[in-house]
Amino acid sequence: MSNMIKTSGHPMVKAEGVHKSFGLVPVLKGIDLEVQPQEVFCLVGPSGSGKSTFLRCINHLEKINAGRLSVDGELVGYRERGDRLYELKDREVAAKRRDIGMVFQRFNLFPHMTALGNVMEAPIQVKGESKSVARERALKLLDRVGLADKAHSYPTQLSGGQQQRVAIARALAMQPKLMLFDEPTSALDPELVGEVLDVMRGLAEDGMTMIVVTHEMGFAREVGDALVFMDDGVVVEAGHPREVLTNPQHERTKAFLSKVL
Amino acid sequence: MPPGGPTVHKSTSAGGLPPQAIKAIPVRHYGRWISAVLVLGVLSLIGVAFANADVNWNVIPDYLFFDTIVRGAANTLLITVLSMTVGVVLGIVLAVMRLSKNPVTSTVAWLYIYLFRGTPVLVQLFLWYNLALIFPVLNLGFYKDEMTDVMTPFLAALLGLGLNEAAYMAEICRAGIQSVDEGQTEASHALGLTGTQTMRRIVLPQAMRVIVPPTGNEFINMLKTSSLAYAIQYQELLKAATDISSRTLAVMEMLFVASIWYLFLTSIFSIGQYYLERRFARGATRNLPPTPLQKIRANLTRLSHRERVA
């Protein structure tokens, strides 16, 4: 894989037998899946099934114990030379994360910065962009998520839905090729879920590759291109969202869907 | 509305009539009056005692702005600010080292804190001051000199107070850094910031909110602890005061003079601390509490408004 030629044909994310355990507790027990470019890929399943952990492995917030995980043709967290794997340095890991945006369940906005400051931070610090360039794009992104008038508000002055939209703008500011969403609407009041999903729908229409861990089956059915149902650290069922959600094949999928739909 | 459904009373104010303000007899606080009388009684007794004491009150205002005293106060201020600067900067470095994944740096930081926090600061001052006894010549390769010339009372005081303070500041900073939510580090890493950038741009600014209040406390402590430097001949406030009293024999009077200066300096720092805490509370609270000046202004406008209503 070291001399892999980048072609437009390869998957954006490829997992082969990915294992992960916390101490002695196995969380992922061999995940195999592929996410194609421009795809909206939904991960669903009961809590504790390992979907969030898998998502965090993709940008190396968690280290996998076994298997292969690659993003855009490059291994996550390692370099392969000959038949040996070399751990990447912190700096190299950081450089790879630039291209992967992540949106968290609890927003994790930087509370000491305004909405604008949050969006400008990474382009300035990581890409070394000038303040004026970063600022211009940040304002455009805030406008895109419908928060142009909140640019100078601090996160505590914003509602949950507004905070999550700022978080999406913050991730987009790095112009990522892949966006990871970790239950982006789970911490929101029901009436605020829609505004966040609308922004995500817009992103999907623009062709962004997205991996979405979600309990919003309506969103998955409507926007998703692929859906994977995970339970107990394994992929139980995969397919097109409409098929899996309306005609689940496995008992566990049926049992789960009967509770959430 | 269906019959039997909940009835909703329309707000009376909407109907035109303003709601009537409650007129009630307030709770009487007899205890406050009794305690106030007691406190006043005790205070006046103390006042009488001091008035009859053998204190030469007249010399206090004379010596308050005496040249030696003012210079001593300036030196106290100087050594406090410099020692705290050494303490804060080194403290942050030690805290980051202590939390580092690198076992060498974290052990070094642990050892430093262990040594400098485990011995009295007065002992450390003496150790620095008497360093020439074991190292008569300071030889740094590019710089060579007699230790007695290098280790002036000022430098010994700065090293003794500053390095000791760093050990305490390291623990304060560590607590501050650890108080920042892990999600902040994750979000920062996910954006591609390196560990150092994350610490400097994301974690430390938020840790400051936790670090600043105890640091202000340390500052005020240092202002007073710096008086120990008197023991190694550093010309600070207490040294100046005792030098004068050894000539004039006005021992208590000069101690009062020094105390007045210490109180004045600590008051100035307390005010500075208030505004610094406000600065770092940005983003943590929705609305910053008003400054005393803003409070006074608000009270004045409210008073004048009330008069107009009356």
Side-chain angles (χ1 to χ4, degrees), chain B residues 57-102:
Chain B
W57 295 107
N58 301 330
V59 303
I60 293 179
D62 290 346
Y63 276 113
L64 205 52
F65 298 103
F66 199 69
D67 201 30
T68 322
I69 292 290
V70 173
R71 231 178 306 131
N75 277 340
T76 286
L77 194 61
L78 179 73
I79 199 72
T80 302
V81 170
L82 290 181
S83 305
M84 279 309 289
T85 310
V86 170
V88 168
V89 172
L90 192 56
I92 292 175
V93 172
L94 282 168
V96 173
M97 282 172 70
R98 184 97 167 76
L99 294 171
S100 148
K101 275 182 279 180
N102 182 336

Coordinates of all heavy atoms in Angstrom, one line a residue, chain B residues 57-102:
Chain B
W57 N 2.7 58.2 67.8 CA 1.9 58.2 66.6 C 2.5 59.2 65.6 O 2.4 59.0 64.4 CB 0.4 58.5 66.9 CG -0.3 57.4 67.7 CD1 -0.6 57.5 69.0 CD2 -0.6 56.1 67.2 NE1 -1.2 56.3 69.4 CE2 -1.2 55.5 68.3 CE3 -0.5 55.5 66.0 CZ2 -1.7 54.2 68.2 CZ3 -1.0 54.2 65.9 CH2 -1.6 53.5 67.0
N58 N 3.0 60.3 66.1 CA 3.5 61.3 65.2 C 4.5 60.9 64.2 O 4.6 61.4 63.1 CB 4.1 62.5 66.0 CG 3.1 63.1 67.0 OD1 1.9 63.0 66.7 ND2 3.5 63.6 68.1
V59 N 5.4 59.9 64.6 CA 6.4 59.5 63.7 C 5.9 58.7 62.5 O 6.6 58.7 61.4 CB 7.6 58.7 64.4 CG1 8.1 59.6 65.5 CG2 7.1 57.4 64.8
I60 N 4.8 58.1 62.6 CA 4.3 57.2 61.6 C 4.1 58.0 60.2 O 4.7 57.6 59.2 CB 3.0 56.5 62.0 CG1 3.4 55.5 63.1 CG2 2.4 55.7 60.8 CD1 2.3 54.6 63.7
P61 N 3.3 59.1 60.2 CA 3.2 59.8 59.0 C 4.5 60.3 58.5 O 4.7 60.4 57.3 CB 2.2 60.9 59.3 CG 1.9 60.9 60.7 CD 2.4 59.6 61.3
D62 N 5.4 60.7 59.4 CA 6.7 61.2 59.0 C 7.5 60.2 58.2 O 8.1 60.5 57.2 CB 7.5 61.7 60.2 CG 6.9 62.9 60.9 OD1 6.1 63.5 60.2 OD2 7.3 63.2 62.0
Y63 N 7.5 58.9 58.8 CA 8.3 57.9 58.1 C 7.6 57.2 57.0 O 8.3 56.5 56.2 CB 8.7 56.9 59.2 CG 9.9 57.3 60.0 CD1 9.8 57.6 61.4 CD2 11.2 57.4 59.4 CE1 10.9 58.0 62.1 CE2 12.3 57.8 60.1 CZ 12.2 58.1 61.4 OH 13.3 58.5 62.1
L64 N 6.3 57.4 56.8 CA 5.5 56.7 55.8 C 6.1 57.0 54.4 O 6.2 56.1 53.6 CB 4.1 57.1 55.8 CG 3.1 56.1 55.3 CD1 3.2 54.8 55.9 CD2 1.6 56.7 55.5
F65 N 6.6 58.2 54.2 CA 7.1 58.5 52.9 C 8.6 58.9 53.0 O 9.2 59.6 52.1 CB 6.3 59.7 52.2 CG 4.9 59.3 52.0 CD1 3.9 59.7 52.8 CD2 4.6 58.4 50.9 CE1 2.6 59.4 52.6 CE2 3.3 58.0 50.7 CZ 2.3 58.5 51.5
F66 N 9.2 58.3 54.0 CA 10.7 58.5 54.2 C 11.4 57.8 53.0 O 10.9 56.7 52.5 CB 11.1 57.9 55.5 CG 12.4 58.3 56.0 CD1 12.6 59.6 56.5 CD2 13.5 57.5 56.1 CE1 13.8 60.1 57.0 CE2 14.7 57.9 56.6 CZ 14.9 59.2 57.0
D67 N 12.5 58.4 52.6 CA 13.2 57.9 51.4 C 13.5 56.4 51.5 O 13.2 55.6 50.6 CB 14.5 58.7 51.3 CG 15.0 58.6 49.8 OD1 14.1 58.5 48.9 OD2 16.2 58.7 49.6
T68 N 14.1 55.9 52.6 CA 14.5 54.5 52.7 C 13.2 53.6 52.6 O 13.3 52.6 52.0 CB 15.1 54.3 54.1 OG1 15.9 55.5 54.4 CG2 16.0 53.1 54.1
I69 N 12.2 54.1 53.3 CA 10.9 53.2 53.3 C 10.4 53.1 51.9 O 10.0 52.0 51.5 CB 9.9 53.9 54.3 CG1 10.4 53.8 55.7 CG2 8.5 53.2 54.1 CD1 10.4 52.4 56.3
V70 N 10.3 54.2 51.2 CA 9.7 54.2 49.8 C 10.6 53.3 48.9 O 10.1 52.5 48.2 CB 9.6 55.6 49.3 CG1 9.2 55.6 47.8 CG2 8.6 56.4 50.1
R71 N 11.9 53.4 49.1 CA 12.8 52.6 48.3 C 12.6 51.1 48.7 O 12.6 50.2 47.8 CB 14.2 53.0 48.4 CG 14.9 53.2 47.1 CD 16.3 53.7 47.2 NE 16.4 54.9 48.0 CZ 17.3 55.1 48.9 NH1 18.1 54.1 49.3 NH2 17.4 56.2 49.6
G72 N 12.4 50.9 50.0 CA 12.2 49.5 50.4 C 10.9 48.9 49.8 O 10.9 47.8 49.4
A73 N 9.8 49.8 49.8 CA 8.6 49.3 49.3 C 8.7 49.0 47.8 O 8.2 48.1 47.2 CB 7.5 50.4 49.5
A74 N 9.5 49.9 47.1 CA 9.7 49.7 45.7 C 10.5 48.4 45.4 O 10.2 47.6 44.5 CB 10.5 50.9 45.1
N75 N 11.5 48.1 46.3 CA 12.2 46.8 46.2 C 11.3 45.6 46.4 O 11.4 44.6 45.8 CB 13.4 46.8 47.1 CG 14.6 47.6 46.5 OD1 14.7 47.7 45.3 ND2 15.5 48.0 47.4
T76 N 10.4 45.8 47.4 CA 9.5 44.7 47.7 C 8.6 44.4 46.5 O 8.4 43.3 46.1 CB 8.6 45.1 48.9 OG1 9.3 45.0 50.1 CG2 7.4 44.2 49.0
L77 N 8.1 45.5 45.9 CA 7.3 45.4 44.7 C 8.1 44.7 43.6 O 7.6 43.8 42.9 CB 6.8 46.8 44.3 CG 5.7 46.8 43.2 CD1 4.5 46.2 43.8 CD2 5.4 48.3 42.9
L78 N 9.3 45.2 43.4 CA 10.2 44.7 42.3 C 10.4 43.2 42.5 O 10.2 42.4 41.5 CB 11.5 45.4 42.3 CG 12.6 45.0 41.3 CD1 12.1 45.4 39.9 CD2 13.9 45.5 41.6
I79 N 10.9 42.7 43.7 CA 11.2 41.3 43.9 C 9.9 40.5 43.8 O 10.0 39.3 43.3 CB 11.9 41.1 45.2 CG1 12.7 39.8 45.2 CG2 11.0 41.1 46.4 CD1 13.9 39.8 44.3
T80 N 8.8 41.0 44.2 CA 7.5 40.3 44.1 C 7.2 40.0 42.6 O 6.9 38.9 42.2 CB 6.4 41.1 44.8 OG1 6.7 41.3 46.1 CG2 5.1 40.3 44.7
V81 N 7.2 41.1 41.9 CA 6.8 41.0 40.4 C 7.8 40.1 39.7 O 7.4 39.2 39.0 CB 6.8 42.4 39.8 CG1 6.6 42.2 38.3 CG2 5.6 43.2 40.3
L82 N 9.1 40.2 39.9 CA 10.1 39.4 39.2 C 10.0 37.9 39.7 O 10.0 37.0 38.9 CB 11.5 39.9 39.5 CG 11.8 41.3 38.8 CD1 13.2 41.7 39.1 CD2 11.5 41.2 37.3
S83 N 9.9 37.7 41.0 CA 9.8 36.3 41.5 C 8.5 35.6 41.0 O 8.5 34.5 40.6 CB 9.7 36.3 43.0 OG 10.8 36.9 43.5
M84 N 7.4 36.4 40.9 CA 6.2 35.8 40.4 C 6.3 35.5 38.9 O 5.7 34.5 38.4 CB 5.0 36.7 40.7 CG 4.4 36.6 42.1 SD 4.0 35.0 42.7 CE 2.6 34.5 41.7
T85 N 7.0 36.4 38.2 CA 7.2 36.1 36.8 C 7.9 34.8 36.6 O 7.5 34.0 35.8 CB 7.9 37.3 36.1 OG1 7.3 38.5 36.5 CG2 7.9 37.2 34.6
V86 N 9.0 34.7 37.3 CA 9.8 33.5 37.2 C 8.9 32.3 37.6 O 8.8 31.3 36.9 CB 11.0 33.5 38.2 CG1 11.7 32.2 38.3 CG2 12.0 34.5 37.7
G87 N 8.1 32.5 38.7 CA 7.3 31.4 39.2 C 6.2 31.0 38.2 O 6.0 29.8 38.0
V88 N 5.5 32.0 37.6 CA 4.4 31.7 36.7 C 5.0 31.0 35.4 O 4.5 29.9 35.0 CB 3.6 32.9 36.3 CG1 2.7 32.7 35.2 CG2 2.9 33.4 37.6
V89 N 6.0 31.6 34.8 CA 6.5 31.0 33.6 C 7.1 29.6 33.8 O 6.7 28.7 33.1 CB 7.6 31.9 33.0 CG1 8.3 31.3 31.8 CG2 7.0 33.3 32.6
L90 N 7.9 29.5 34.8 CA 8.5 28.2 35.1 C 7.4 27.2 35.6 O 7.4 26.0 35.2 CB 9.6 28.3 36.2 CG 10.5 27.1 36.4 CD1 11.2 26.7 35.1 CD2 11.5 27.4 37.4
G91 N 6.4 27.7 36.3 CA 5.3 26.9 36.8 C 4.5 26.3 35.6 O 4.2 25.1 35.6
I92 N 4.2 27.1 34.6 CA 3.5 26.6 33.4 C 4.3 25.5 32.7 O 3.8 24.4 32.4 CB 3.1 27.7 32.5 CG1 2.1 28.6 33.1 CG2 2.6 27.2 31.1 CD1 1.7 29.8 32.3
V93 N 5.6 25.8 32.5 CA 6.5 24.8 31.9 C 6.5 23.5 32.7 O 6.4 22.4 32.1 CB 7.9 25.4 31.7 CG1 8.9 24.3 31.2 CG2 7.9 26.6 30.8
L94 N 6.7 23.6 34.0 CA 6.7 22.4 34.8 C 5.4 21.7 34.7 O 5.4 20.4 34.7 CB 7.0 22.8 36.3 CG 8.5 23.1 36.6 CD1 8.6 23.8 38.0 CD2 9.3 21.9 36.6
A95 N 4.3 22.4 34.7 CA 3.0 21.7 34.7 C 2.8 20.9 33.4 O 2.4 19.8 33.4 CB 1.8 22.7 34.8
V96 N 3.2 21.6 32.3 CA 3.1 20.9 31.0 C 4.1 19.7 31.0 O 3.7 18.6 30.5 CB 3.5 21.9 29.8 CG1 3.5 21.1 28.5 CG2 2.4 23.0 29.7
M97 N 5.3 19.9 31.5 CA 6.2 18.7 31.6 C 5.6 17.6 32.5 O 5.7 16.4 32.1 CB 7.5 19.2 32.3 CG 8.4 20.0 31.3 SD 9.8 20.7 32.2 CE 10.8 19.2 32.6
R98 N 5.0 18.0 33.6 CA 4.5 17.0 34.5 C 3.4 16.2 33.8 O 3.2 15.0 34.1 CB 3.9 17.7 35.7 CG 3.4 16.9 36.8 CD 4.4 16.7 37.9 NE 3.8 16.2 39.1 CZ 3.4 14.9 39.2 NH1 3.7 14.1 38.2 NH2 2.9 14.5 40.3
L99 N 2.6 16.8 32.9 CA 1.5 16.1 32.3 C 1.9 15.5 30.9 O 1.1 14.9 30.3 CB 0.3 17.1 32.0 CG -0.3 17.7 33.2 CD1 -1.3 18.8 32.9 CD2 -1.1 16.5 34.0
S100 N 3.2 15.7 30.6 CA 3.7 15.1 29.3 C 3.7 13.6 29.3 O 3.8 13.0 30.4 CB 5.1 15.7 29.1 OG 5.9 14.8 28.4
K101 N 3.6 13.1 28.1 CA 3.6 11.6 28.0 C 5.0 11.1 28.1 O 5.3 9.9 28.3 CB 3.0 11.2 26.6 CG 1.5 11.1 26.6 CD 1.0 10.6 25.2 CE 0.9 11.8 24.3 NZ 0.4 11.4 22.9
N102 N 6.0 12.0 27.9 CA 7.4 11.6 28.0 C 7.8 11.4 29.5 O 7.7 12.3 30.3 CB 8.2 12.8 27.4 CG 9.7 12.5 27.4 OD1 10.2 11.7 28.2 ND2 10.4 13.2 26.6

